[in-house]
Amino acid sequence: MPLTPTQFLDAVARDRAALAVGQAPRGVFTCADCGVPLQETVTGNRPCGEGIHLCSDCYFDEFGRELDVHPISAFRVVRGA
Ligand SMILES: [Zn+2]
């Protein structure tokens, strides 16, 4: 059954209040690492495998650690050496 405009606005207000205190409303993913409720435009929302979502901060922290271990380097061809 669709929500009436008043019910919709009430639901939005409840979800915003829950997010403001760090609780994830129904249907909102939380970061698998730090537990913050994920909002695409605020925290980012990066799916990382089966049901695992990370915020952008945790995703890039992890990405940076992997780059430290496995740095990206261009293939170098030494000619005439
Ligand atoms: Zn996180």
Side-chain angles (χ1 to χ4, degrees):
M1 180 168 64
L3 299 175
T4 65
T6 304
Q7 288 172 323
F8 174 76
L9 291 175
D10 287 348
V12 169
R14 276 196 305 275
D15 285 354
R16 282 192 175 149
L19 285 167
V21 296
Q23 296 173 344
R26 185 169 46 128
V28 174
F29 291 108
T30 56
C31 176
D33 202 353
C34 69
V36 71
L38 298 176
Q39 301 176 80
E40 184 71 42
T41 57
V42 179
T43 62
N45 181 358
R46 298 178 181 272
C48 297
E50 292 287 323
I52 297 173
H53 293 252
L54 293 175
C55 69
S56 289
D57 288 347
C58 292
Y59 177 83
F60 285 112
D61 281 353
E62 178 71 21
F63 197 70
R65 281 191 290 272
E66 286 297 316
L67 283 179
D68 287 344
V69 177
H70 307 286
I72 298 171
S73 57
F75 179 69
R76 296 181 65 189
V77 177
V78 180
R79 295 182 182 164

